[in-house]
């Protein structure tokens, strides 16, 4: 996540919201003493995005932060065998046959 504008007045108790939500994804913010966002640590489940997510901070006192999510996509062939099997089993194939 690139921090475009650090904003000001944020607090460690402010909630970071990401849409769409990915279960298991955790974002932890680091702020300066005046509440400027300087870092977001990402941990947990980072897979599952199909589009660029929206990220915002729910704060009673902070304002002005601008964030830009950065995604990288991994080819299915680069996943471990167990993950490839899970992905394949979760994929729906539709075959449409039309006869005249």
């Amino acid at each position: 996540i690139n921090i475009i504008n650090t904003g000001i007045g944020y607090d460690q108790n402010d909630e970071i919201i990401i849409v769409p939500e990915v279960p298991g994804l955790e974002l932890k913010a680091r702020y300066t003493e005046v509440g400027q966002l300087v870092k977001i640590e990402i941990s947990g489940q980072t897979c599952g995005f199909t589009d660029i997510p929206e990220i915002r901070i729910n704060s009673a006192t902070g304002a002005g932060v601008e964030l830009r999510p950065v995604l990288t996509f991994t080819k299915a062939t680069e996943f471990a065998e167990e993950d490839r099997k899970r992905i394949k089993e979760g994929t729906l194939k539709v075959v449409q046959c039309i006869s005249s």
Side-chain angles (χ1 to χ4, degrees), residues 25-84:
L25 175 63
E26 296 180 26
L27 302 176
K28 183 172 181 169
R30 300 279 182 212
Y31 301 100
T32 66
E33 58 279 346
V34 294
Q36 292 174 296
L37 178 66
V38 291
K39 184 176 184 179
I40 296 181
E41 295 175 0
I42 303 168
S43 62
Q45 177 65 32
T46 58
C47 293
F49 291 103
T50 56
D51 291 311
I52 305 235
E54 176 187 341
I55 302 172
R56 60 183 181 269
I57 300 176
N58 186 10
S59 176
T61 57
V65 76
E66 290 180 52
L67 304 171
R68 181 180 301 141
V70 178
L71 299 179
T72 57
F73 294 93
T74 306
K75 294 178 182 180
T77 56
E78 295 177 17
F79 283 103
E81 180 63 34
E82 180 180 309
D83 291 331
R84 284 198 304 262

